[in-house]
Amino acid sequence: VDHISSFRKMSVYEKPQDRVLIMLSSGNLAISQAVKEHLSHTPKDDALTIWTARNLFEVAQLVGEAIRVVAARETEALKAAGVEFNINLLLGGQIAGESTRLFHIYAAGNFIEATDENCYFQIGEAKYGKPIIDRVIHAETPLMDAIKCVLVSFDSTMRSNISVGLPIDLTCYARDSFNLDRVHHITDSDSYFSQISQRWSEGLRGVFASLPDPDWEIAPDTRDSFSIPPP
Amino acid sequence: VDHISSFRKMSVYEKPQDRVLIMLSSGNLAISQAVKEHLSHTPKDDALTIWTARNLFEVAQLVGEAIRVVAARETEALKAAGVEFNINLLLGGQIAGESTRLFHIYAAGNFIEATDENCYFQIGEAKYGKPIIDRVIHAETPLMDAIKCVLVSFDSTMRSNISVGLPIDLTCYARDSFNLDRVHHITDSDSYFSQISQRWSEGLRGVFASLPDPDWEIAPDTRDSFSIPPP
């Protein structure tokens, strides 16, 4: 049995032993829902669908085409209302016959793929939570560390942008398993997330408190070298 | 003797015992230079200048007016060239007779003042480095901690945006001193900054490594509750 699991900003498409596709969206919700609706249509001819695409690149192409169909239909009316056609999608997962792949699909329907050197993507309110990811995540990072890192990253984002908040939908997929081994919906009653948040905060304060004071002396000659007398 | 110290993105205006003004700029460099040039003009009438303004609010008004003068002159030509009139300024310091004050002045020439609840401002590439400031900086934070926090914040920004880099110009002003007690130009040969950067990085890794693994179990009934069978 195939399964489509729907979250607010996460959709999971599963066909046991054949494919696991995970799609994350940011931007205009009406657009991302319209794109997902289009992807769920059964084509009249024998055109490919996300269930029959032979590899993840083809799925990314189908998603890009769906964005373009929605854009052709919606852009003019949105523009008249002063609304930008704004959508970003992440598509990750695995189709039998190839390894896991991850794509970032843009509003224009074009996309880029993650590489070993650039092994992650973020969409939405990304910057506040990026530094910890840059410090921790590499292509060889264990999945458990990646989970923790993503949660710490979200915690930072939620502290700096009050409009970002729980719940968080988290899915973890282990290569070649064709099975989602961790799907977790994190609400504000999640004791693990609270614990991570608190321990990270305390740990950061501890590291910060241990930093040495600057050893700079005020050298008057240095001061003078960048002082310009007024006219 | 009055002093005007000029850095790339920092200008310091000092009149001993009377005023210390520190201005930071981000955005279009030509615009911020034109604004500073305008501020340095001696008016023909007895209009206020940054040297005669009676309080920091008046200085912020003068800076805002200077932005508007430059905008009136430049905006059309910039627009024709597809360039936005983009400038953000931070103005902080103290004028004898009042306490220290801090303003964020926008491209429209309007401005807001920092309060005890919102005691800091950032301009430029601000988001990557904001989480650590949000965790550390309060109105009562000692100046030495504030210095360290700003350096850690810049370190995070430089790691996540390769277009941001050293040197950093740092000025620290202690209330009622009417004297800049720390002015430091941090280059890539600054051993203290290298030390802070390395110890912060190691400390973060240590805290991260100490975080517990999630205790979530995969409950099939939970899985089913958000699974929708395909059509």
Side-chain angles (χ1 to χ4, degrees):
Chain A
V1 185
D2 304 343
H3 274 81
I4 308 174
S5 311
S6 287
F7 304 75
R8 244 153 307 220
K9 289 165 185 170
M10 179 186 288
S11 301
V12 180
Y13 306 86
E14 287 182 87
K15 193 173 181 182
Q17 307 313 318
D18 176 69
R19 67 193 59 208
V20 171
L21 310 174
I22 299 151
M23 199 160 72
L24 299 165
S25 63
S26 74
N28 186 301
L29 187 59
I31 296 171
S32 58
Q33 288 187 347
V35 168
K36 281 184 259 184
E37 181 74 16
H38 186 84
L39 287 173
S40 73
H41 289 170
T42 307
K44 292 198 176 92
D45 51 22
D46 58 354
L48 288 178
T49 71
I50 58 171
W51 300 108
T52 58
R54 287 153 296 190
N55 53 59
L56 215 67
F57 188 93
E58 283 187 350
V59 178
Q61 284 183 307
L62 290 169
V63 174
E65 285 164 19
I67 292 175
R68 286 167 182 171
V69 167
V70 175
R73 192 175 69 209
E74 305 283 340
T75 302
E76 198 179 343
L78 290 177
K79 199 174 173 183
V83 177
E84 193 192 0
F85 186 85
N86 175 25
I87 181 173
N88 279 277
L89 294 170
L90 296 188
L91 169 71
Q94 186 173 19
I95 292 179
E98 58 177 12
S99 187
T100 47
R101 299 176 79 172
L102 174 63
F103 294 88
H104 180 168
I105 306 163
Y106 301 100
N110 59 334
F111 50 83
I112 57 171
E113 182 170 8
T115 62
D116 273 2
E117 292 74 37
N118 296 284
C119 65
Y120 76 87
F121 291 131
Q122 289 174 285
I123 53 176
E125 180 65 278
K127 287 190 174 184
Y128 298 125
K130 188 168 185 284
I132 185 60
I133 301 180
D134 284 334
R135 287 179 194 274
V136 171
I137 299 289
H138 303 283
E140 292 78 27
T141 307
L143 273 175
M144 192 61 85
D145 280 357
I147 290 176
K148 285 188 261 188
C149 182
V150 162
L151 296 182
V152 168
S153 171
F154 263 104
D155 183 54
S156 293
T157 303
M158 291 190 295
R159 280 172 187 267
S160 288
N161 182 342
I162 204 162
S163 77
V164 178
L166 298 171
I168 294 169
D169 293 315
L170 186 144
T171 290
C172 181
Y173 174 71
R175 186 168 50 232
D176 298 331
S177 68
F178 291 96
N179 185 47
L180 294 174
D181 60 345
R182 287 190 185 272
V183 183
H184 201 70
H185 184 72
I186 300 166
T187 66
D188 54 13
S189 65
D190 189 287
S191 62
Y192 175 68
F193 185 73
S194 305
Q195 193 186 357
I196 287 274
S197 174
Q198 190 187 336
R199 288 178 68 154
W200 182 249
S201 187
E202 289 166 359
L204 251 57
R205 281 173 207 281
V207 176
F208 187 81
S210 77
L211 294 178
D213 286 348
D215 52 1
W216 308 322
E217 290 301 322
I218 311 153
D221 51 334
T222 310
R223 281 290 303 280
D224 289 341
S225 71
F226 51 74
S227 289
I228 302 162
Chain B
V1 186
D2 304 344
H3 275 81
I4 308 173
S5 311
S6 287
F7 303 76
R8 245 153 307 218
K9 289 164 183 169
M10 178 186 288
S11 301
V12 180
Y13 306 86
E14 289 182 86
K15 192 173 181 182
Q17 307 313 317
D18 176 70
R19 68 194 56 208
V20 171
L21 310 173
I22 299 152
M23 198 159 73
L24 299 165
S25 63
S26 74
N28 186 302
L29 185 60
I31 297 170
S32 57
Q33 288 188 347
V35 168
K36 281 183 259 183
E37 181 73 17
H38 186 83
L39 287 172
S40 72
H41 289 172
T42 307
K44 292 197 179 90
D45 52 20
D46 58 353
L48 288 177
T49 71
I50 58 171
W51 299 108
T52 58
R54 288 154 295 192
N55 53 59
L56 215 68
F57 188 92
E58 283 187 349
V59 178
Q61 283 182 308
L62 290 170
V63 175
E65 285 164 20
I67 292 175
R68 287 168 183 169
V69 168
V70 175
R73 192 174 69 207
E74 305 283 341
T75 302
E76 198 178 341
L78 289 177
K79 200 174 173 184
V83 177
E84 193 191 359
F85 187 85
N86 175 26
I87 181 172
N88 279 277
L89 294 171
L90 297 188
L91 170 72
Q94 185 173 18
I95 291 179
E98 60 176 13
S99 187
T100 47
R101 300 175 79 172
L102 175 64
F103 294 88
H104 181 169
I105 306 163
Y106 301 100
N110 58 335
F111 51 83
I112 57 171
E113 183 171 6
T115 62
D116 273 3
E117 293 74 37
N118 297 285
C119 65
Y120 77 88
F121 291 130
Q122 289 174 285
I123 52 176
E125 180 64 278
K127 288 190 173 184
Y128 299 124
K130 189 169 185 282
I132 184 62
I133 301 181
D134 284 336
R135 287 178 194 273
V136 170
I137 299 289
H138 304 284
E140 292 78 27
T141 307
L143 274 176
M144 192 60 85
D145 280 358
I147 290 176
K148 286 188 260 189
C149 182
V150 162
L151 296 183
V152 169
S153 171
F154 264 104
D155 184 55
S156 293
T157 303
M158 291 189 295
R159 281 171 186 269
S160 286
N161 183 340
I162 203 164
S163 77
V164 179
L166 297 171
I168 295 169
D169 292 316
L170 186 143
T171 291
C172 182
Y173 174 71
R175 185 168 51 230
D176 299 332
S177 68
F178 290 98
N179 185 47
L180 295 174
D181 61 343
R182 286 190 186 273
V183 183
H184 200 72
H185 184 70
I186 301 166
T187 64
D188 54 13
S189 65
D190 189 286
S191 62
Y192 175 68
F193 185 73
S194 304
Q195 194 186 358
I196 286 275
S197 174
Q198 190 187 338
R199 286 176 68 153
W200 182 250
S201 187
E202 288 166 1
L204 249 59
R205 281 172 208 280
V207 176
F208 187 82
S210 78
L211 294 177
D213 287 348
D215 53 0
W216 308 323
E217 290 299 324
I218 310 150
D221 50 334
T222 309
R223 282 291 302 281
D224 289 341
S225 69
F226 52 74
S227 291
I228 303 161

PDB file of all heavy atoms in Angstrom, chain B residues 108-133:
ATOM      1  N   ALA B 108      14.707  56.025   4.923  1.00  0.00           N
ATOM      2  CA  ALA B 108      13.712  57.086   4.784  1.00  0.00           C
ATOM      3  C   ALA B 108      14.051  58.278   5.678  1.00  0.00           C
ATOM      4  O   ALA B 108      13.356  59.296   5.653  1.00  0.00           O
ATOM      5  CB  ALA B 108      12.322  56.550   5.120  1.00  0.00           C
ATOM      6  N   GLY B 109      15.082  58.167   6.475  1.00  0.00           N
ATOM      7  CA  GLY B 109      15.481  59.266   7.352  1.00  0.00           C
ATOM      8  C   GLY B 109      14.786  59.219   8.709  1.00  0.00           C
ATOM      9  O   GLY B 109      15.084  60.019   9.587  1.00  0.00           O
ATOM     10  N   ASN B 110      13.869  58.301   8.873  1.00  0.00           N
ATOM     11  CA  ASN B 110      13.227  58.121  10.188  1.00  0.00           C
ATOM     12  C   ASN B 110      14.091  57.213  11.052  1.00  0.00           C
ATOM     13  O   ASN B 110      15.039  56.588  10.557  1.00  0.00           O
ATOM     14  CB  ASN B 110      11.805  57.550  10.030  1.00  0.00           C
ATOM     15  CG  ASN B 110      11.798  56.213   9.301  1.00  0.00           C
ATOM     16  OD1 ASN B 110      12.715  55.920   8.532  1.00  0.00           O
ATOM     17  ND2 ASN B 110      10.780  55.412   9.531  1.00  0.00           N
ATOM     18  N   PHE B 111      13.785  57.126  12.312  1.00  0.00           N
ATOM     19  CA  PHE B 111      14.658  56.341  13.192  1.00  0.00           C
ATOM     20  C   PHE B 111      13.920  55.868  14.431  1.00  0.00           C
ATOM     21  O   PHE B 111      12.863  56.390  14.792  1.00  0.00           O
ATOM     22  CB  PHE B 111      15.903  57.152  13.593  1.00  0.00           C
ATOM     23  CG  PHE B 111      15.614  58.524  14.138  1.00  0.00           C
ATOM     24  CD1 PHE B 111      15.283  58.715  15.465  1.00  0.00           C
ATOM     25  CD2 PHE B 111      15.683  59.637  13.302  1.00  0.00           C
ATOM     26  CE1 PHE B 111      15.024  59.985  15.969  1.00  0.00           C
ATOM     27  CE2 PHE B 111      15.432  60.913  13.799  1.00  0.00           C
ATOM     28  CZ  PHE B 111      15.096  61.098  15.141  1.00  0.00           C
ATOM     29  N   ILE B 112      14.482  54.838  15.053  1.00  0.00           N
ATOM     30  CA  ILE B 112      13.968  54.339  16.331  1.00  0.00           C
ATOM     31  C   ILE B 112      15.113  54.334  17.342  1.00  0.00           C
ATOM     32  O   ILE B 112      16.289  54.277  16.963  1.00  0.00           O
ATOM     33  CB  ILE B 112      13.375  52.914  16.219  1.00  0.00           C
ATOM     34  CG1 ILE B 112      14.415  51.925  15.673  1.00  0.00           C
ATOM     35  CG2 ILE B 112      12.140  52.918  15.354  1.00  0.00           C
ATOM     36  CD1 ILE B 112      13.952  50.473  15.737  1.00  0.00           C
ATOM     37  N   GLU B 113      14.734  54.396  18.624  1.00  0.00           N
ATOM     38  CA  GLU B 113      15.742  54.407  19.682  1.00  0.00           C
ATOM     39  C   GLU B 113      15.697  53.104  20.462  1.00  0.00           C
ATOM     40  O   GLU B 113      14.621  52.521  20.675  1.00  0.00           O
ATOM     41  CB  GLU B 113      15.482  55.584  20.639  1.00  0.00           C
ATOM     42  CG  GLU B 113      16.546  55.695  21.737  1.00  0.00           C
ATOM     43  CD  GLU B 113      16.447  56.979  22.567  1.00  0.00           C
ATOM     44  OE1 GLU B 113      15.474  57.741  22.378  1.00  0.00           O
ATOM     45  OE2 GLU B 113      17.354  57.202  23.399  1.00  0.00           O
ATOM     46  N   ALA B 114      16.860  52.637  20.870  1.00  0.00           N
ATOM     47  CA  ALA B 114      16.929  51.435  21.701  1.00  0.00           C
ATOM     48  C   ALA B 114      16.329  51.713  23.080  1.00  0.00           C
ATOM     49  O   ALA B 114      16.349  52.852  23.563  1.00  0.00           O
ATOM     50  CB  ALA B 114      18.381  50.982  21.848  1.00  0.00           C
ATOM     51  N   THR B 115      15.769  50.675  23.675  1.00  0.00           N
ATOM     52  CA  THR B 115      15.186  50.781  25.018  1.00  0.00           C
ATOM     53  C   THR B 115      15.819  49.703  25.895  1.00  0.00           C
ATOM     54  O   THR B 115      16.586  48.867  25.412  1.00  0.00           O
ATOM     55  CB  THR B 115      13.667  50.533  24.958  1.00  0.00           C
ATOM     56  OG1 THR B 115      13.453  49.197  24.476  1.00  0.00           O
ATOM     57  CG2 THR B 115      12.981  51.527  24.041  1.00  0.00           C
ATOM     58  N   ASP B 116      15.484  49.701  27.169  1.00  0.00           N
ATOM     59  CA  ASP B 116      15.996  48.647  28.050  1.00  0.00           C
ATOM     60  C   ASP B 116      15.555  47.270  27.560  1.00  0.00           C
ATOM     61  O   ASP B 116      16.296  46.292  27.684  1.00  0.00           O
ATOM     62  CB  ASP B 116      15.480  48.863  29.484  1.00  0.00           C
ATOM     63  CG  ASP B 116      16.408  49.794  30.256  1.00  0.00           C
ATOM     64  OD1 ASP B 116      17.378  50.296  29.658  1.00  0.00           O
ATOM     65  OD2 ASP B 116      16.156  50.015  31.442  1.00  0.00           O
ATOM     66  N   GLU B 117      14.343  47.193  27.001  1.00  0.00           N
ATOM     67  CA  GLU B 117      13.825  45.902  26.557  1.00  0.00           C
ATOM     68  C   GLU B 117      14.454  45.490  25.224  1.00  0.00           C
ATOM     69  O   GLU B 117      14.643  44.311  24.959  1.00  0.00           O
ATOM     70  CB  GLU B 117      12.302  45.950  26.413  1.00  0.00           C
ATOM     71  CG  GLU B 117      11.559  46.117  27.726  1.00  0.00           C
ATOM     72  CD  GLU B 117      11.672  47.532  28.285  1.00  0.00           C
ATOM     73  OE1 GLU B 117      11.657  48.479  27.484  1.00  0.00           O
ATOM     74  OE2 GLU B 117      11.827  47.679  29.515  1.00  0.00           O
ATOM     75  N   ASN B 118      14.710  46.460  24.358  1.00  0.00           N
ATOM     76  CA  ASN B 118      15.366  46.190  23.076  1.00  0.00           C
ATOM     77  C   ASN B 118      16.632  47.025  23.051  1.00  0.00           C
ATOM     78  O   ASN B 118      16.672  48.101  22.472  1.00  0.00           O
ATOM     79  CB  ASN B 118      14.444  46.569  21.909  1.00  0.00           C
ATOM     80  CG  ASN B 118      13.189  45.731  21.888  1.00  0.00           C
ATOM     81  OD1 ASN B 118      13.222  44.575  21.512  1.00  0.00           O
ATOM     82  ND2 ASN B 118      12.088  46.309  22.343  1.00  0.00           N
ATOM     83  N   CYS B 119      17.670  46.492  23.691  1.00  0.00           N
ATOM     84  CA  CYS B 119      18.819  47.338  24.032  1.00  0.00           C
ATOM     85  C   CYS B 119      19.915  47.301  22.982  1.00  0.00           C
ATOM     86  O   CYS B 119      20.987  47.868  23.192  1.00  0.00           O
ATOM     87  CB  CYS B 119      19.369  46.943  25.394  1.00  0.00           C
ATOM     88  SG  CYS B 119      20.048  45.284  25.410  1.00  0.00           S
ATOM     89  N   TYR B 120      19.702  46.590  21.869  1.00  0.00           N
ATOM     90  CA  TYR B 120      20.757  46.582  20.838  1.00  0.00           C
ATOM     91  C   TYR B 120      20.126  46.659  19.457  1.00  0.00           C
ATOM     92  O   TYR B 120      18.947  46.350  19.272  1.00  0.00           O
ATOM     93  CB  TYR B 120      21.627  45.327  20.955  1.00  0.00           C
ATOM     94  CG  TYR B 120      20.985  44.070  20.417  1.00  0.00           C
ATOM     95  CD1 TYR B 120      21.116  43.730  19.072  1.00  0.00           C
ATOM     96  CD2 TYR B 120      20.249  43.228  21.236  1.00  0.00           C
ATOM     97  CE1 TYR B 120      20.519  42.584  18.564  1.00  0.00           C
ATOM     98  CE2 TYR B 120      19.653  42.086  20.741  1.00  0.00           C
ATOM     99  CZ  TYR B 120      19.788  41.768  19.401  1.00  0.00           C
ATOM    100  OH  TYR B 120      19.192  40.638  18.905  1.00  0.00           O
ATOM    101  N   PHE B 121      20.942  47.072  18.488  1.00  0.00           N
ATOM    102  CA  PHE B 121      20.550  47.058  17.089  1.00  0.00           C
ATOM    103  C   PHE B 121      21.658  46.387  16.295  1.00  0.00           C
ATOM    104  O   PHE B 121      22.826  46.423  16.683  1.00  0.00           O
ATOM    105  CB  PHE B 121      20.358  48.483  16.529  1.00  0.00           C
ATOM    106  CG  PHE B 121      19.172  49.211  17.087  1.00  0.00           C
ATOM    107  CD1 PHE B 121      19.316  50.504  17.586  1.00  0.00           C
ATOM    108  CD2 PHE B 121      17.917  48.633  17.112  1.00  0.00           C
ATOM    109  CE1 PHE B 121      18.225  51.195  18.093  1.00  0.00           C
ATOM    110  CE2 PHE B 121      16.818  49.315  17.622  1.00  0.00           C
ATOM    111  CZ  PHE B 121      16.976  50.603  18.109  1.00  0.00           C
ATOM    112  N   GLN B 122      21.275  45.785  15.172  1.00  0.00           N
ATOM    113  CA  GLN B 122      22.239  45.256  14.209  1.00  0.00           C
ATOM    114  C   GLN B 122      21.850  45.787  12.843  1.00  0.00           C
ATOM    115  O   GLN B 122      20.653  45.905  12.540  1.00  0.00           O
ATOM    116  CB  GLN B 122      22.159  43.737  14.111  1.00  0.00           C
ATOM    117  CG  GLN B 122      22.657  42.931  15.270  1.00  0.00           C
ATOM    118  CD  GLN B 122      22.332  41.454  15.025  1.00  0.00           C
ATOM    119  OE1 GLN B 122      21.185  41.044  15.160  1.00  0.00           O
ATOM    120  NE2 GLN B 122      23.326  40.681  14.629  1.00  0.00           N
ATOM    121  N   ILE B 123      22.820  46.050  11.994  1.00  0.00           N
ATOM    122  CA  ILE B 123      22.538  46.364  10.590  1.00  0.00           C
ATOM    123  C   ILE B 123      23.449  45.496   9.726  1.00  0.00           C
ATOM    124  O   ILE B 123      24.376  44.872  10.221  1.00  0.00           O
ATOM    125  CB  ILE B 123      22.752  47.859  10.266  1.00  0.00           C
ATOM    126  CG1 ILE B 123      24.138  48.321  10.712  1.00  0.00           C
ATOM    127  CG2 ILE B 123      21.671  48.707  10.932  1.00  0.00           C
ATOM    128  CD1 ILE B 123      24.457  49.767  10.342  1.00  0.00           C
ATOM    129  N   GLY B 124      23.160  45.469   8.450  1.00  0.00           N
ATOM    130  CA  GLY B 124      23.958  44.641   7.534  1.00  0.00           C
ATOM    131  C   GLY B 124      23.527  43.188   7.618  1.00  0.00           C
ATOM    132  O   GLY B 124      22.356  42.882   7.825  1.00  0.00           O
ATOM    133  N   GLU B 125      24.478  42.285   7.442  1.00  0.00           N
ATOM    134  CA  GLU B 125      24.203  40.832   7.474  1.00  0.00           C
ATOM    135  C   GLU B 125      23.969  40.424   8.929  1.00  0.00           C
ATOM    136  O   GLU B 125      24.867  39.941   9.617  1.00  0.00           O
ATOM    137  CB  GLU B 125      25.384  40.078   6.856  1.00  0.00           C
ATOM    138  CG  GLU B 125      25.230  38.568   6.824  1.00  0.00           C
ATOM    139  CD  GLU B 125      24.104  38.092   5.953  1.00  0.00           C
ATOM    140  OE1 GLU B 125      22.948  38.106   6.439  1.00  0.00           O
ATOM    141  OE2 GLU B 125      24.358  37.708   4.792  1.00  0.00           O
ATOM    142  N   ALA B 126      22.743  40.608   9.410  1.00  0.00           N
ATOM    143  CA  ALA B 126      22.492  40.564  10.858  1.00  0.00           C
ATOM    144  C   ALA B 126      22.027  39.205  11.376  1.00  0.00           C
ATOM    145  O   ALA B 126      22.301  38.844  12.512  1.00  0.00           O
ATOM    146  CB  ALA B 126      21.459  41.628  11.233  1.00  0.00           C
ATOM    147  N   LYS B 127      21.341  38.424  10.547  1.00  0.00           N
ATOM    148  CA  LYS B 127      20.621  37.276  11.111  1.00  0.00           C
ATOM    149  C   LYS B 127      21.508  36.148  11.634  1.00  0.00           C
ATOM    150  O   LYS B 127      21.230  35.564  12.673  1.00  0.00           O
ATOM    151  CB  LYS B 127      19.636  36.709  10.084  1.00  0.00           C
ATOM    152  CG  LYS B 127      18.433  37.629   9.860  1.00  0.00           C
ATOM    153  CD  LYS B 127      17.384  36.929   9.031  1.00  0.00           C
ATOM    154  CE  LYS B 127      16.112  37.770   8.947  1.00  0.00           C
ATOM    155  NZ  LYS B 127      15.041  37.053   8.219  1.00  0.00           N
ATOM    156  N   TYR B 128      22.583  35.819  10.904  1.00  0.00           N
ATOM    157  CA  TYR B 128      23.411  34.694  11.338  1.00  0.00           C
ATOM    158  C   TYR B 128      23.944  34.919  12.749  1.00  0.00           C
ATOM    159  O   TYR B 128      24.074  34.000  13.540  1.00  0.00           O
ATOM    160  CB  TYR B 128      24.602  34.484  10.393  1.00  0.00           C
ATOM    161  CG  TYR B 128      24.218  34.160   8.974  1.00  0.00           C
ATOM    162  CD1 TYR B 128      24.676  34.932   7.914  1.00  0.00           C
ATOM    163  CD2 TYR B 128      23.409  33.075   8.692  1.00  0.00           C
ATOM    164  CE1 TYR B 128      24.335  34.625   6.608  1.00  0.00           C
ATOM    165  CE2 TYR B 128      23.063  32.765   7.390  1.00  0.00           C
ATOM    166  CZ  TYR B 128      23.525  33.548   6.352  1.00  0.00           C
ATOM    167  OH  TYR B 128      23.188  33.236   5.062  1.00  0.00           O
ATOM    168  N   GLY B 129      24.273  36.176  13.040  1.00  0.00           N
ATOM    169  CA  GLY B 129      24.902  36.462  14.324  1.00  0.00           C
ATOM    170  C   GLY B 129      23.934  36.900  15.407  1.00  0.00           C
ATOM    171  O   GLY B 129      24.354  37.256  16.502  1.00  0.00           O
ATOM    172  N   LYS B 130      22.632  36.866  15.129  1.00  0.00           N
ATOM    173  CA  LYS B 130      21.666  37.367  16.105  1.00  0.00           C
ATOM    174  C   LYS B 130      21.398  36.414  17.265  1.00  0.00           C
ATOM    175  O   LYS B 130      21.243  36.867  18.413  1.00  0.00           O
ATOM    176  CB  LYS B 130      20.352  37.711  15.391  1.00  0.00           C
ATOM    177  CG  LYS B 130      19.334  38.452  16.267  1.00  0.00           C
ATOM    178  CD  LYS B 130      18.190  38.997  15.426  1.00  0.00           C
ATOM    179  CE  LYS B 130      17.225  39.831  16.257  1.00  0.00           C
ATOM    180  NZ  LYS B 130      16.312  39.016  17.063  1.00  0.00           N
ATOM    181  N   PRO B 131      21.327  35.079  17.042  1.00  0.00           N
ATOM    182  CA  PRO B 131      20.956  34.192  18.158  1.00  0.00           C
ATOM    183  C   PRO B 131      21.850  34.337  19.387  1.00  0.00           C
ATOM    184  O   PRO B 131      21.345  34.380  20.505  1.00  0.00           O
ATOM    185  CB  PRO B 131      21.051  32.793  17.530  1.00  0.00           C
ATOM    186  CG  PRO B 131      20.678  33.012  16.094  1.00  0.00           C
ATOM    187  CD  PRO B 131      21.324  34.334  15.751  1.00  0.00           C
ATOM    188  N   ILE B 132      23.165  34.448  19.205  1.00  0.00           N
ATOM    189  CA  ILE B 132      24.021  34.545  20.392  1.00  0.00           C
ATOM    190  C   ILE B 132      23.800  35.876  21.104  1.00  0.00           C
ATOM    191  O   ILE B 132      23.832  35.940  22.339  1.00  0.00           O
ATOM    192  CB  ILE B 132      25.523  34.325  20.028  1.00  0.00           C
ATOM    193  CG1 ILE B 132      26.383  34.336  21.291  1.00  0.00           C
ATOM    194  CG2 ILE B 132      26.031  35.363  19.059  1.00  0.00           C
ATOM    195  CD1 ILE B 132      26.059  33.231  22.273  1.00  0.00           C
ATOM    196  N   ILE B 133      23.529  36.926  20.347  1.00  0.00           N
ATOM    197  CA  ILE B 133      23.244  38.229  20.981  1.00  0.00           C
ATOM    198  C   ILE B 133      21.950  38.126  21.780  1.00  0.00           C
ATOM    199  O   ILE B 133      21.872  38.602  22.917  1.00  0.00           O
ATOM    200  CB  ILE B 133      23.143  39.343  19.926  1.00  0.00           C
ATOM    201  CG1 ILE B 133      24.459  39.448  19.145  1.00  0.00           C
ATOM    202  CG2 ILE B 133      22.814  40.682  20.589  1.00  0.00           C
ATOM    203  CD1 ILE B 133      24.462  40.535  18.087  1.00  0.00           C
TER     204      ILE B 133
END
